[in-house]
Amino acid sequence: MVRFKSRYLLCEIVFENPLSRQCIEEKNIYKTVKDAIVRAHGDFGFGCCSLSLAVKYLNAYTGIILLRCRKDFYRVLWSALPFITFLENKNQKYPCFFNTLHVGGTIRTCQKFLIQYNRKQLLLLLKDCKTKGERESVERSVLSCSLKELEGDRS
Amino acid sequence: MALFADLNIVNTSDTDRKRLQSLIENAAHLGYSTVAINHVAEFQGKKLEIAKPIAVTELYPSPPIVQGKSKPIKILTRLTVIVSDAAHCNDLRITSPHTRSYDIVAVLPKTEKLFHVACMTLDIDLICINVIEKQPFHFRRPSVNGAIERGIYFELAYSPAIKDSTMRRYTISNALSLMQICKGKNIIMSSAAERPLELRGPYDIANLGLLFGLTEGDAKAALSTNCRAALLHGETRKTALGVIYTVKKASATEEKDEGTPLSKRAKTKSD
């Protein structure tokens, strides 16, 4: 059975200014990643990564993105990601960097990892909660993390 | 489970605590279990001023917790001395009082002779490889092999590569020339980060190691096991001054006394 095998890179975009998370869009990220590949690996990199490069998932509140590329060339893409220093949107530059969390063969494995990761983040937030109301809403979110539902909402 | 360490976080000025704190919090968020704050000492004229290291407890009453583990991040201090003249190395030969207070001591040699001296005789843990400019000398195999036998590690910094395109070229060419001689052994990769945005996650850096010519296992080791080995080397340099090795021998005392002249023999022996 011939099937195109791909690799999914789960990345977190960490911004200098947390408010600028609202401004990320699929097209901007796609363009930034392509430019970074061209700068790092030239025309060869661009050619082999653009085969099935796509932004599959984007969460503007937490800054998590899921990139897809071919299995044979995912290293080319992965090695270009550390060189990204800013995202551009409407002629404004937002300084940021990409932090790769997980590489998976299917979207489902990445989703499983993301649920575990979000649960750990929520537990860290629970430690810093100051009011009782915040604690309760975070605890409810932690309990609702499971594969059957969507990823747990951050409070 | 490998512990990742980032052994180079630049301390540009003593007064900027907030920047250091945000850097360390960022490193904890990315998953580094150990960081080392780097004090760079350069020679002005003939005098070298080595400042006292920053007190770690002043920075944080309770350090931030590492992402993914439940322990707080470990913060160490490190000294880097930039040497361009043979007279500068006197502080590094014997354990001088200045370098004792630092956990790790590193040197950045600027000439080939100094590189050889640093590999063979100086009392250090790390040798920094210059990534900002074209290397004026080639690495020699006997020096590099001597350093590997002594347990000294070579350090590659990656944040200039992130900042500027020409630095990227120098970083890759210097790293590849080192790789050809040492075959990937005894390499450490660290950020020379001044701002929190210049840090990168450990898996991203292991991938950058592939670009520099390391194998996959070597690249991951460059961030975890080699860093730990360099830290242990620093600890033994701080604590151990000599080793006494005793061997059980049947007639040890008599043989020893025969060699010394009569007047100096032990008076306690019954004559």
Side-chain angles (χ1 to χ4, degrees), chain B residues 104-176:
Chain B
I104 308 174
V105 176
V107 77
L108 181 72
K110 292 253 185 192
T111 64
E112 170 146 18
K113 263 193 164 181
L114 284 172
F115 181 75
H116 185 79
V117 163
C119 290
M120 298 301 205
T121 50
L122 285 187
D123 198 13
I124 47 176
D125 306 312
L126 298 176
I127 296 184
C128 303
I129 303 294
N130 201 359
V131 293
I132 306 180
E133 52 194 16
K134 194 160 178 297
Q135 192 83 305
F137 58 91
H138 288 288
F139 299 109
R140 300 255 169 247
R141 206 173 278 258
S143 317
V144 170
N145 284 342
I148 293 180
E149 272 171 36
R150 281 182 69 204
I152 297 183
Y153 288 81
F154 296 100
E155 187 203 18
L156 284 170
Y158 63 77
S159 85
I162 293 174
K163 288 194 266 200
D164 192 27
S165 171
T166 18
M167 308 285 189
R168 221 178 280 180
R169 296 178 194 175
Y170 291 140
T171 310
I172 294 187
S173 64
N174 289 346
L176 283 172

Side-chain angles (χ1 to χ4, degrees), chain B residues 30 114 118 120 128 135 164 179 184-185 192 195-196 199 214 220 227 260-261:
Chain B
L30 288 174
L114 284 172
M120 298 301 205
C128 303
Q135 192 83 305
D164 192 27
M179 226 46 82
K185 285 198 216 171
R195 290 160 51 236
L199 281 175
L214 293 169
K220 240 189 139 189
C227 288
T260 55

Side-chain angles (χ1 to χ4, degrees), chain A residues 7-24:
Chain A
R7 284 278 180 264
Y8 291 88
L9 285 173
L10 188 70
C11 304
E12 178 190 6
I13 310 186
V14 179
F15 281 94
E16 197 172 19
N17 177 14
L19 295 171
S20 44
R21 264 193 214 148
Q22 318 287 336
C23 313
I24 46 180

